[in-house]
Amino acid sequence: MLIHDKGNKRIESQLSEERTKLPVIIHGNILFENIPLKNAVIEFNYEGTHGQTLYRIGKTYTGLNGHFYAQEKISQNAIAKQIGARICIYSTPGPNAKPFPIFFGSKNFAFVPEQRDYNLLDINLHLGLCFCERPLVFKGQIISRHDNEFLFTQQTVRLFKQNGTILSETPVDIDGSYCIYTYGDGIIGMREELIIEVSTGHRAAIDNVFVEPSSHVYQKNIKFD
């Protein structure tokens, strides 16, 4: 009977805490070299005095334009405590590889009970916030050669080496854009020509992109017949 009573009290305590949580909106933009990054993972948590995670609040992702928007509930116990927004961006590997973290970053803000909207503005990541020495980002649009309109189907974009090795792949988004994350450490020469292919399974469009040490972001539109 005593165990049952303790269980009920614990449930009542959890329900009471849930009722006292305050809804907030957290939003902002994730960029690298002022280029919006999509599919970035943002986790929100309470942080201790040494930056350790005390409690996870929630998680969201950036959209096509690098923007994130989350509606979360924060306990009043977090008043005046630091809320951490931790950012991580993973590679989009080929079928035989596991995602690898490319960038990380963080942004802190203090929770104020009277405030419901937290705009973290532009969070511009830099090379120092990287798990690898040479992060590479490839962005662009898939465009119809005939009418100059975006293709809205789910084609696959693949990044190859000249020897046929798949470095990364990703589906085309509904607006016809793609964004590939990979890295060159020990994989890609300091100066090397890579191949970007868009494929529907029945037909493909291929273009080349030349990478060099001084550039990390490459904008490449692919024309599809």
Side-chain angles (χ1 to χ4, degrees):
M1 188 67 179
L2 182 59
I3 296 175
H4 183 70
D5 289 342
K6 286 184 177 180
N8 285 340
K9 288 181 179 179
R10 184 166 58 251
I11 293 172
E12 289 174 1
S13 176
Q14 291 173 348
L15 291 174
S16 176
E17 182 182 353
E18 190 66 30
R19 284 192 292 267
T20 59
K21 285 184 177 180
L22 302 174
V24 298
I25 294 171
I26 310 170
H27 54 104
N29 302 289
I30 308 297
L31 308 102
F32 172 63
E33 296 184 351
N34 295 316
I35 301 295
L37 298 180
K38 69 178 181 182
N39 299 327
V41 182
I42 302 102
E43 292 186 344
F44 305 104
N45 50 67
Y46 303 156
E47 293 192 344
T49 54
H50 301 291
Q52 72 274 29
T53 298
L54 300 180
Y55 179 77
R56 295 198 184 280
I57 301 170
K59 182 171 71 173
T60 189
Y61 301 85
T62 54
L64 304 175
N65 58 357
H67 184 72
F68 67 89
Y69 179 94
Q71 291 181 309
E72 305 292 350
K73 289 186 176 181
I74 298 182
S75 171
Q76 295 194 52
N77 294 332
I79 293 175
K81 291 182 180 177
Q82 287 293 308
I83 306 297
R86 294 186 180 178
I87 304 141
C88 196
I89 294 171
Y90 294 88
S91 64
T92 48
N96 300 318
K98 293 182 179 180
F100 177 83
I102 301 291
F103 292 102
F104 70 97
S106 63
K107 181 86 170 184
N108 293 341
F109 62 94
F111 171 56
V112 181
E114 295 79 15
Q115 187 173 342
R116 293 290 182 268
D117 187 296
Y118 295 86
N119 187 353
L120 305 188
L121 303 175
D122 290 347
I123 303 173
N124 215 326
L125 306 180
H126 54 82
L127 289 177
L129 298 175
C130 191
F131 288 103
C132 56
E133 293 183 3
R134 195 179 173 200
L136 295 170
V137 180
F138 300 85
K139 290 170 62 75
Q141 296 281 350
I142 311 304
I143 301 173
S144 168
R145 192 185 297 273
H146 299 295
D147 54 19
N148 205 34
E149 291 182 355
F150 301 147
L151 298 177
F152 294 96
T153 52
Q154 291 286 306
Q155 292 92 354
T156 299
V157 180
R158 291 188 177 92
L159 182 69
F160 289 90
K161 288 172 67 73
Q162 292 287 340
N163 64 8
T165 301
I166 299 176
L167 297 171
S168 192
E169 64 178 32
T170 188
V172 179
D173 274 308
I174 193 170
D175 72 335
S177 69
Y178 73 92
C179 187
I180 287 179
Y181 302 111
T182 190
Y183 57 97
D185 303 11
I187 300 174
I188 301 170
M190 295 306 290
R191 290 178 174 83
E192 185 171 338
E193 191 170 47
L194 303 178
I195 300 169
I196 296 180
E197 177 194 76
V198 186
S199 175
T200 63
H202 303 289
R203 58 197 183 109
I206 296 176
D207 208 337
N208 296 333
V209 58
F210 189 79
V211 298
E212 54 186 1
S214 59
S215 298
H216 298 276
V217 179
Y218 297 85
Q219 296 270 5
K220 189 73 172 180
N221 292 339
I222 310 295
K223 291 185 177 180
F224 206 102
D225 289 324

PDB file of all heavy atoms in Angstrom, residues 17 20-24 45-49 54-55 57 73-83 109-116 118:
ATOM      1  N   GLU A  17       3.759  19.923 -11.671  1.00  0.00           N
ATOM      2  CA  GLU A  17       4.866  20.634 -12.322  1.00  0.00           C
ATOM      3  C   GLU A  17       4.533  20.942 -13.774  1.00  0.00           C
ATOM      4  O   GLU A  17       4.832  22.027 -14.279  1.00  0.00           O
ATOM      5  CB  GLU A  17       6.146  19.801 -12.254  1.00  0.00           C
ATOM      6  CG  GLU A  17       7.342  20.500 -12.872  1.00  0.00           C
ATOM      7  CD  GLU A  17       8.592  19.651 -12.839  1.00  0.00           C
ATOM      8  OE1 GLU A  17       8.562  18.569 -12.213  1.00  0.00           O
ATOM      9  OE2 GLU A  17       9.594  20.062 -13.443  1.00  0.00           O
ATOM     10  N   THR A  20       2.364  23.980 -14.152  1.00  0.00           N
ATOM     11  CA  THR A  20       2.992  25.267 -13.847  1.00  0.00           C
ATOM     12  C   THR A  20       4.027  25.669 -14.906  1.00  0.00           C
ATOM     13  O   THR A  20       4.604  26.750 -14.809  1.00  0.00           O
ATOM     14  CB  THR A  20       3.691  25.218 -12.469  1.00  0.00           C
ATOM     15  OG1 THR A  20       4.682  24.188 -12.474  1.00  0.00           O
ATOM     16  CG2 THR A  20       2.679  24.948 -11.368  1.00  0.00           C
ATOM     17  N   LYS A  21       4.275  24.824 -15.880  1.00  0.00           N
ATOM     18  CA  LYS A  21       5.236  25.182 -16.922  1.00  0.00           C
ATOM     19  C   LYS A  21       4.685  26.301 -17.789  1.00  0.00           C
ATOM     20  O   LYS A  21       3.484  26.397 -18.035  1.00  0.00           O
ATOM     21  CB  LYS A  21       5.560  23.961 -17.788  1.00  0.00           C
ATOM     22  CG  LYS A  21       6.479  22.957 -17.104  1.00  0.00           C
ATOM     23  CD  LYS A  21       6.848  21.824 -18.059  1.00  0.00           C
ATOM     24  CE  LYS A  21       7.822  20.858 -17.399  1.00  0.00           C
ATOM     25  NZ  LYS A  21       8.199  19.760 -18.310  1.00  0.00           N
ATOM     26  N   LEU A  22       5.587  27.138 -18.261  1.00  0.00           N
ATOM     27  CA  LEU A  22       5.196  28.303 -19.038  1.00  0.00           C
ATOM     28  C   LEU A  22       5.547  28.088 -20.511  1.00  0.00           C
ATOM     29  O   LEU A  22       6.683  27.741 -20.834  1.00  0.00           O
ATOM     30  CB  LEU A  22       5.903  29.553 -18.509  1.00  0.00           C
ATOM     31  CG  LEU A  22       5.642  29.886 -17.033  1.00  0.00           C
ATOM     32  CD1 LEU A  22       6.518  31.049 -16.601  1.00  0.00           C
ATOM     33  CD2 LEU A  22       4.172  30.209 -16.820  1.00  0.00           C
ATOM     34  N   PRO A  23       4.593  28.294 -21.423  1.00  0.00           N
ATOM     35  CA  PRO A  23       4.879  28.117 -22.856  1.00  0.00           C
ATOM     36  C   PRO A  23       5.725  29.270 -23.390  1.00  0.00           C
ATOM     37  O   PRO A  23       5.472  30.435 -23.076  1.00  0.00           O
ATOM     38  CB  PRO A  23       3.488  28.114 -23.491  1.00  0.00           C
ATOM     39  CG  PRO A  23       2.643  28.900 -22.545  1.00  0.00           C
ATOM     40  CD  PRO A  23       3.190  28.663 -21.174  1.00  0.00           C
ATOM     41  N   VAL A  24       6.736  28.925 -24.177  1.00  0.00           N
ATOM     42  CA  VAL A  24       7.584  29.948 -24.780  1.00  0.00           C
ATOM     43  C   VAL A  24       7.819  29.594 -26.248  1.00  0.00           C
ATOM     44  O   VAL A  24       7.652  28.455 -26.679  1.00  0.00           O
ATOM     45  CB  VAL A  24       8.952  30.075 -24.062  1.00  0.00           C
ATOM     46  CG1 VAL A  24       8.767  30.493 -22.612  1.00  0.00           C
ATOM     47  CG2 VAL A  24       9.743  28.776 -24.165  1.00  0.00           C
ATOM     48  N   ASN A  45      18.002  22.949 -23.513  1.00  0.00           N
ATOM     49  CA  ASN A  45      18.139  22.324 -22.210  1.00  0.00           C
ATOM     50  C   ASN A  45      18.489  23.346 -21.146  1.00  0.00           C
ATOM     51  O   ASN A  45      18.944  24.451 -21.446  1.00  0.00           O
ATOM     52  CB  ASN A  45      19.207  21.225 -22.261  1.00  0.00           C
ATOM     53  CG  ASN A  45      20.500  21.721 -22.890  1.00  0.00           C
ATOM     54  OD1 ASN A  45      21.170  22.567 -22.324  1.00  0.00           O
ATOM     55  ND2 ASN A  45      20.834  21.224 -24.064  1.00  0.00           N
ATOM     56  N   TYR A  46      18.232  22.958 -19.880  1.00  0.00           N
ATOM     57  CA  TYR A  46      18.715  23.760 -18.761  1.00  0.00           C
ATOM     58  C   TYR A  46      20.189  23.423 -18.588  1.00  0.00           C
ATOM     59  O   TYR A  46      20.572  22.257 -18.673  1.00  0.00           O
ATOM     60  CB  TYR A  46      17.999  23.417 -17.459  1.00  0.00           C
ATOM     61  CG  TYR A  46      16.505  23.555 -17.470  1.00  0.00           C
ATOM     62  CD1 TYR A  46      15.721  22.832 -16.571  1.00  0.00           C
ATOM     63  CD2 TYR A  46      15.861  24.403 -18.350  1.00  0.00           C
ATOM     64  CE1 TYR A  46      14.345  22.953 -16.560  1.00  0.00           C
ATOM     65  CE2 TYR A  46      14.481  24.526 -18.338  1.00  0.00           C
ATOM     66  CZ  TYR A  46      13.730  23.789 -17.445  1.00  0.00           C
ATOM     67  OH  TYR A  46      12.370  23.896 -17.437  1.00  0.00           O
ATOM     68  N   GLU A  47      20.998  24.437 -18.310  1.00  0.00           N
ATOM     69  CA  GLU A  47      22.415  24.198 -18.128  1.00  0.00           C
ATOM     70  C   GLU A  47      22.834  24.501 -16.697  1.00  0.00           C
ATOM     71  O   GLU A  47      22.326  25.426 -16.068  1.00  0.00           O
ATOM     72  CB  GLU A  47      23.240  25.044 -19.099  1.00  0.00           C
ATOM     73  CG  GLU A  47      23.050  24.626 -20.555  1.00  0.00           C
ATOM     74  CD  GLU A  47      24.078  25.264 -21.467  1.00  0.00           C
ATOM     75  OE1 GLU A  47      24.725  26.239 -21.037  1.00  0.00           O
ATOM     76  OE2 GLU A  47      24.234  24.767 -22.594  1.00  0.00           O
ATOM     77  N   GLY A  48      23.775  23.690 -16.204  1.00  0.00           N
ATOM     78  CA  GLY A  48      24.338  23.922 -14.885  1.00  0.00           C
ATOM     79  C   GLY A  48      25.399  25.010 -14.928  1.00  0.00           C
ATOM     80  O   GLY A  48      25.669  25.606 -15.966  1.00  0.00           O
ATOM     81  N   THR A  49      26.028  25.257 -13.791  1.00  0.00           N
ATOM     82  CA  THR A  49      27.016  26.334 -13.696  1.00  0.00           C
ATOM     83  C   THR A  49      28.243  26.070 -14.571  1.00  0.00           C
ATOM     84  O   THR A  49      28.957  27.009 -14.945  1.00  0.00           O
ATOM     85  CB  THR A  49      27.460  26.520 -12.240  1.00  0.00           C
ATOM     86  OG1 THR A  49      27.918  25.254 -11.735  1.00  0.00           O
ATOM     87  CG2 THR A  49      26.299  27.012 -11.388  1.00  0.00           C
ATOM     88  N   LEU A  54      21.290  19.764 -17.453  1.00  0.00           N
ATOM     89  CA  LEU A  54      20.528  19.344 -16.285  1.00  0.00           C
ATOM     90  C   LEU A  54      19.199  18.711 -16.685  1.00  0.00           C
ATOM     91  O   LEU A  54      18.734  17.767 -16.041  1.00  0.00           O
ATOM     92  CB  LEU A  54      20.268  20.543 -15.360  1.00  0.00           C
ATOM     93  CG  LEU A  54      21.518  21.242 -14.807  1.00  0.00           C
ATOM     94  CD1 LEU A  54      21.100  22.401 -13.908  1.00  0.00           C
ATOM     95  CD2 LEU A  54      22.391  20.261 -14.032  1.00  0.00           C
ATOM     96  N   TYR A  55      18.586  19.242 -17.747  1.00  0.00           N
ATOM     97  CA  TYR A  55      17.272  18.745 -18.154  1.00  0.00           C
ATOM     98  C   TYR A  55      17.011  19.156 -19.593  1.00  0.00           C
ATOM     99  O   TYR A  55      17.226  20.308 -19.962  1.00  0.00           O
ATOM    100  CB  TYR A  55      16.189  19.320 -17.234  1.00  0.00           C
ATOM    101  CG  TYR A  55      14.791  18.875 -17.582  1.00  0.00           C
ATOM    102  CD1 TYR A  55      14.345  17.602 -17.252  1.00  0.00           C
ATOM    103  CD2 TYR A  55      13.925  19.729 -18.253  1.00  0.00           C
ATOM    104  CE1 TYR A  55      13.064  17.191 -17.590  1.00  0.00           C
ATOM    105  CE2 TYR A  55      12.642  19.331 -18.587  1.00  0.00           C
ATOM    106  CZ  TYR A  55      12.217  18.057 -18.248  1.00  0.00           C
ATOM    107  OH  TYR A  55      10.958  17.652 -18.593  1.00  0.00           O
ATOM    108  N   ILE A  57      14.725  20.174 -22.662  1.00  0.00           N
ATOM    109  CA  ILE A  57      13.411  20.786 -22.859  1.00  0.00           C
ATOM    110  C   ILE A  57      12.770  20.282 -24.146  1.00  0.00           C
ATOM    111  O   ILE A  57      11.591  19.936 -24.175  1.00  0.00           O
ATOM    112  CB  ILE A  57      13.544  22.322 -22.912  1.00  0.00           C
ATOM    113  CG1 ILE A  57      14.167  22.837 -21.613  1.00  0.00           C
ATOM    114  CG2 ILE A  57      12.194  22.973 -23.162  1.00  0.00           C
ATOM    115  CD1 ILE A  57      14.563  24.292 -21.668  1.00  0.00           C
ATOM    116  N   LYS A  73       7.666  24.264 -23.402  1.00  0.00           N
ATOM    117  CA  LYS A  73       7.206  24.651 -22.075  1.00  0.00           C
ATOM    118  C   LYS A  73       8.376  24.554 -21.109  1.00  0.00           C
ATOM    119  O   LYS A  73       9.077  23.549 -21.071  1.00  0.00           O
ATOM    120  CB  LYS A  73       6.062  23.742 -21.622  1.00  0.00           C
ATOM    121  CG  LYS A  73       4.757  23.989 -22.371  1.00  0.00           C
ATOM    122  CD  LYS A  73       3.630  23.167 -21.776  1.00  0.00           C
ATOM    123  CE  LYS A  73       2.307  23.477 -22.450  1.00  0.00           C
ATOM    124  NZ  LYS A  73       1.186  22.694 -21.852  1.00  0.00           N
ATOM    125  N   ILE A  74       8.582  25.629 -20.348  1.00  0.00           N
ATOM    126  CA  ILE A  74       9.720  25.703 -19.437  1.00  0.00           C
ATOM    127  C   ILE A  74       9.213  25.790 -18.004  1.00  0.00           C
ATOM    128  O   ILE A  74       8.303  26.562 -17.699  1.00  0.00           O
ATOM    129  CB  ILE A  74      10.606  26.916 -19.773  1.00  0.00           C
ATOM    130  CG1 ILE A  74      11.159  26.766 -21.195  1.00  0.00           C
ATOM    131  CG2 ILE A  74      11.746  27.056 -18.779  1.00  0.00           C
ATOM    132  CD1 ILE A  74      12.083  27.890 -21.615  1.00  0.00           C
ATOM    133  N   SER A  75       9.812  24.993 -17.150  1.00  0.00           N
ATOM    134  CA  SER A  75       9.411  24.983 -15.749  1.00  0.00           C
ATOM    135  C   SER A  75       9.803  26.284 -15.074  1.00  0.00           C
ATOM    136  O   SER A  75      10.845  26.881 -15.363  1.00  0.00           O
ATOM    137  CB  SER A  75      10.084  23.809 -15.029  1.00  0.00           C
ATOM    138  OG  SER A  75       9.878  23.908 -13.637  1.00  0.00           O
ATOM    139  N   GLN A  76       8.973  26.723 -14.131  1.00  0.00           N
ATOM    140  CA  GLN A  76       9.298  27.934 -13.374  1.00  0.00           C
ATOM    141  C   GLN A  76      10.527  27.730 -12.506  1.00  0.00           C
ATOM    142  O   GLN A  76      11.128  28.695 -12.033  1.00  0.00           O
ATOM    143  CB  GLN A  76       8.097  28.356 -12.525  1.00  0.00           C
ATOM    144  CG  GLN A  76       6.892  28.764 -13.362  1.00  0.00           C
ATOM    145  CD  GLN A  76       5.839  29.498 -12.556  1.00  0.00           C
ATOM    146  OE1 GLN A  76       6.150  30.463 -11.873  1.00  0.00           O
ATOM    147  NE2 GLN A  76       4.604  29.047 -12.637  1.00  0.00           N
ATOM    148  N   ASN A  77      10.917  26.480 -12.294  1.00  0.00           N
ATOM    149  CA  ASN A  77      12.145  26.224 -11.536  1.00  0.00           C
ATOM    150  C   ASN A  77      13.376  26.728 -12.283  1.00  0.00           C
ATOM    151  O   ASN A  77      14.458  26.841 -11.711  1.00  0.00           O
ATOM    152  CB  ASN A  77      12.309  24.719 -11.282  1.00  0.00           C
ATOM    153  CG  ASN A  77      11.222  24.181 -10.379  1.00  0.00           C
ATOM    154  OD1 ASN A  77      10.675  24.906  -9.550  1.00  0.00           O
ATOM    155  ND2 ASN A  77      10.896  22.910 -10.527  1.00  0.00           N
ATOM    156  N   ALA A  78      13.212  27.009 -13.587  1.00  0.00           N
ATOM    157  CA  ALA A  78      14.342  27.464 -14.400  1.00  0.00           C
ATOM    158  C   ALA A  78      14.491  28.976 -14.398  1.00  0.00           C
ATOM    159  O   ALA A  78      15.305  29.504 -15.151  1.00  0.00           O
ATOM    160  CB  ALA A  78      14.164  26.974 -15.833  1.00  0.00           C
ATOM    161  N   ILE A  79      13.713  29.676 -13.577  1.00  0.00           N
ATOM    162  CA  ILE A  79      13.798  31.132 -13.529  1.00  0.00           C
ATOM    163  C   ILE A  79      15.231  31.574 -13.254  1.00  0.00           C
ATOM    164  O   ILE A  79      15.886  31.062 -12.339  1.00  0.00           O
ATOM    165  CB  ILE A  79      12.849  31.697 -12.442  1.00  0.00           C
ATOM    166  CG1 ILE A  79      11.391  31.455 -12.855  1.00  0.00           C
ATOM    167  CG2 ILE A  79      13.106  33.181 -12.208  1.00  0.00           C
ATOM    168  CD1 ILE A  79      10.395  31.860 -11.816  1.00  0.00           C
ATOM    169  N   ALA A  80      15.723  32.481 -14.072  1.00  0.00           N
ATOM    170  CA  ALA A  80      17.074  33.057 -13.962  1.00  0.00           C
ATOM    171  C   ALA A  80      18.177  32.061 -14.295  1.00  0.00           C
ATOM    172  O   ALA A  80      19.353  32.390 -14.184  1.00  0.00           O
ATOM    173  CB  ALA A  80      17.303  33.655 -12.584  1.00  0.00           C
ATOM    174  N   LYS A  81      17.818  30.850 -14.688  1.00  0.00           N
ATOM    175  CA  LYS A  81      18.845  29.887 -15.093  1.00  0.00           C
ATOM    176  C   LYS A  81      19.130  30.037 -16.583  1.00  0.00           C
ATOM    177  O   LYS A  81      18.328  30.573 -17.338  1.00  0.00           O
ATOM    178  CB  LYS A  81      18.394  28.457 -14.786  1.00  0.00           C
ATOM    179  CG  LYS A  81      18.330  28.133 -13.308  1.00  0.00           C
ATOM    180  CD  LYS A  81      17.918  26.683 -13.093  1.00  0.00           C
ATOM    181  CE  LYS A  81      17.847  26.358 -11.603  1.00  0.00           C
ATOM    182  NZ  LYS A  81      17.372  24.972 -11.371  1.00  0.00           N
ATOM    183  N   GLN A  82      20.288  29.556 -16.981  1.00  0.00           N
ATOM    184  CA  GLN A  82      20.658  29.612 -18.386  1.00  0.00           C
ATOM    185  C   GLN A  82      19.963  28.487 -19.169  1.00  0.00           C
ATOM    186  O   GLN A  82      19.947  27.336 -18.743  1.00  0.00           O
ATOM    187  CB  GLN A  82      22.170  29.466 -18.545  1.00  0.00           C
ATOM    188  CG  GLN A  82      22.961  30.685 -18.112  1.00  0.00           C
ATOM    189  CD  GLN A  82      22.704  31.866 -19.035  1.00  0.00           C
ATOM    190  OE1 GLN A  82      22.817  31.767 -20.246  1.00  0.00           O
ATOM    191  NE2 GLN A  82      22.362  33.003 -18.448  1.00  0.00           N
ATOM    192  N   ILE A  83      19.381  28.866 -20.290  1.00  0.00           N
ATOM    193  CA  ILE A  83      18.831  27.887 -21.231  1.00  0.00           C
ATOM    194  C   ILE A  83      19.824  27.781 -22.385  1.00  0.00           C
ATOM    195  O   ILE A  83      20.232  28.796 -22.957  1.00  0.00           O
ATOM    196  CB  ILE A  83      17.452  28.318 -21.764  1.00  0.00           C
ATOM    197  CG1 ILE A  83      16.500  28.622 -20.606  1.00  0.00           C
ATOM    198  CG2 ILE A  83      16.875  27.250 -22.670  1.00  0.00           C
ATOM    199  CD1 ILE A  83      16.192  27.452 -19.719  1.00  0.00           C
ATOM    200  N   PHE A 109      20.591  31.755 -23.262  1.00  0.00           N
ATOM    201  CA  PHE A 109      19.770  32.901 -22.873  1.00  0.00           C
ATOM    202  C   PHE A 109      19.165  32.619 -21.507  1.00  0.00           C
ATOM    203  O   PHE A 109      19.007  31.455 -21.112  1.00  0.00           O
ATOM    204  CB  PHE A 109      18.684  33.184 -23.912  1.00  0.00           C
ATOM    205  CG  PHE A 109      17.694  32.068 -24.112  1.00  0.00           C
ATOM    206  CD1 PHE A 109      16.490  32.045 -23.411  1.00  0.00           C
ATOM    207  CD2 PHE A 109      17.956  31.038 -24.999  1.00  0.00           C
ATOM    208  CE1 PHE A 109      15.576  31.018 -23.598  1.00  0.00           C
ATOM    209  CE2 PHE A 109      17.045  30.009 -25.195  1.00  0.00           C
ATOM    210  CZ  PHE A 109      15.855  30.002 -24.495  1.00  0.00           C
ATOM    211  N   ALA A 110      18.848  33.678 -20.789  1.00  0.00           N
ATOM    212  CA  ALA A 110      18.265  33.537 -19.459  1.00  0.00           C
ATOM    213  C   ALA A 110      16.746  33.518 -19.567  1.00  0.00           C
ATOM    214  O   ALA A 110      16.148  34.337 -20.264  1.00  0.00           O
ATOM    215  CB  ALA A 110      18.719  34.679 -18.553  1.00  0.00           C
ATOM    216  N   PHE A 111      16.128  32.566 -18.887  1.00  0.00           N
ATOM    217  CA  PHE A 111      14.671  32.456 -18.888  1.00  0.00           C
ATOM    218  C   PHE A 111      14.080  33.502 -17.945  1.00  0.00           C
ATOM    219  O   PHE A 111      14.451  33.592 -16.777  1.00  0.00           O
ATOM    220  CB  PHE A 111      14.264  31.055 -18.457  1.00  0.00           C
ATOM    221  CG  PHE A 111      12.798  30.892 -18.208  1.00  0.00           C
ATOM    222  CD1 PHE A 111      11.886  31.198 -19.205  1.00  0.00           C
ATOM    223  CD2 PHE A 111      12.328  30.444 -16.989  1.00  0.00           C
ATOM    224  CE1 PHE A 111      10.529  31.063 -18.987  1.00  0.00           C
ATOM    225  CE2 PHE A 111      10.969  30.296 -16.765  1.00  0.00           C
ATOM    226  CZ  PHE A 111      10.076  30.613 -17.764  1.00  0.00           C
ATOM    227  N   VAL A 112      13.167  34.303 -18.460  1.00  0.00           N
ATOM    228  CA  VAL A 112      12.468  35.333 -17.677  1.00  0.00           C
ATOM    229  C   VAL A 112      10.969  35.015 -17.732  1.00  0.00           C
ATOM    230  O   VAL A 112      10.394  34.932 -18.819  1.00  0.00           O
ATOM    231  CB  VAL A 112      12.723  36.742 -18.259  1.00  0.00           C
ATOM    232  CG1 VAL A 112      12.018  37.797 -17.430  1.00  0.00           C
ATOM    233  CG2 VAL A 112      14.209  37.017 -18.342  1.00  0.00           C
ATOM    234  N   PRO A 113      10.306  34.823 -16.597  1.00  0.00           N
ATOM    235  CA  PRO A 113       8.895  34.405 -16.598  1.00  0.00           C
ATOM    236  C   PRO A 113       7.966  35.318 -17.382  1.00  0.00           C
ATOM    237  O   PRO A 113       6.986  34.872 -17.961  1.00  0.00           O
ATOM    238  CB  PRO A 113       8.529  34.403 -15.116  1.00  0.00           C
ATOM    239  CG  PRO A 113       9.819  34.236 -14.406  1.00  0.00           C
ATOM    240  CD  PRO A 113      10.860  34.929 -15.241  1.00  0.00           C
ATOM    241  N   GLU A 114       8.278  36.628 -17.417  1.00  0.00           N
ATOM    242  CA  GLU A 114       7.393  37.566 -18.103  1.00  0.00           C
ATOM    243  C   GLU A 114       7.584  37.524 -19.625  1.00  0.00           C
ATOM    244  O   GLU A 114       6.784  38.099 -20.363  1.00  0.00           O
ATOM    245  CB  GLU A 114       7.654  38.999 -17.617  1.00  0.00           C
ATOM    246  CG  GLU A 114       7.313  39.246 -16.155  1.00  0.00           C
ATOM    247  CD  GLU A 114       8.399  38.720 -15.214  1.00  0.00           C
ATOM    248  OE1 GLU A 114       9.520  38.443 -15.701  1.00  0.00           O
ATOM    249  OE2 GLU A 114       8.119  38.567 -14.010  1.00  0.00           O
ATOM    250  N   GLN A 115       8.607  36.872 -20.080  1.00  0.00           N
ATOM    251  CA  GLN A 115       8.915  36.871 -21.513  1.00  0.00           C
ATOM    252  C   GLN A 115       8.483  35.553 -22.142  1.00  0.00           C
ATOM    253  O   GLN A 115       8.763  34.481 -21.619  1.00  0.00           O
ATOM    254  CB  GLN A 115      10.419  37.080 -21.736  1.00  0.00           C
ATOM    255  CG  GLN A 115      10.811  37.256 -23.200  1.00  0.00           C
ATOM    256  CD  GLN A 115      12.285  37.632 -23.337  1.00  0.00           C
ATOM    257  OE1 GLN A 115      12.916  38.068 -22.375  1.00  0.00           O
ATOM    258  NE2 GLN A 115      12.827  37.459 -24.531  1.00  0.00           N
ATOM    259  N   ARG A 116       7.790  35.652 -23.271  1.00  0.00           N
ATOM    260  CA  ARG A 116       7.297  34.450 -23.942  1.00  0.00           C
ATOM    261  C   ARG A 116       7.997  34.203 -25.283  1.00  0.00           C
ATOM    262  O   ARG A 116       7.947  33.118 -25.811  1.00  0.00           O
ATOM    263  CB  ARG A 116       5.780  34.566 -24.186  1.00  0.00           C
ATOM    264  CG  ARG A 116       4.953  34.548 -22.918  1.00  0.00           C
ATOM    265  CD  ARG A 116       4.976  33.171 -22.280  1.00  0.00           C
ATOM    266  NE  ARG A 116       4.144  33.134 -21.091  1.00  0.00           N
ATOM    267  CZ  ARG A 116       4.604  33.368 -19.873  1.00  0.00           C
ATOM    268  NH1 ARG A 116       5.876  33.688 -19.689  1.00  0.00           N
ATOM    269  NH2 ARG A 116       3.811  33.314 -18.817  1.00  0.00           N
ATOM    270  N   TYR A 118      11.548  34.368 -27.477  1.00  0.00           N
ATOM    271  CA  TYR A 118      12.999  34.473 -27.422  1.00  0.00           C
ATOM    272  C   TYR A 118      13.554  34.364 -28.842  1.00  0.00           C
ATOM    273  O   TYR A 118      13.542  33.288 -29.445  1.00  0.00           O
ATOM    274  CB  TYR A 118      13.585  33.372 -26.534  1.00  0.00           C
ATOM    275  CG  TYR A 118      13.178  33.509 -25.083  1.00  0.00           C
ATOM    276  CD1 TYR A 118      11.977  32.969 -24.637  1.00  0.00           C
ATOM    277  CD2 TYR A 118      13.969  34.205 -24.175  1.00  0.00           C
ATOM    278  CE1 TYR A 118      11.585  33.095 -23.310  1.00  0.00           C
ATOM    279  CE2 TYR A 118      13.586  34.346 -22.851  1.00  0.00           C
ATOM    280  CZ  TYR A 118      12.399  33.784 -22.426  1.00  0.00           C
ATOM    281  OH  TYR A 118      12.010  33.922 -21.112  1.00  0.00           O
TER     282      TYR A 118
END
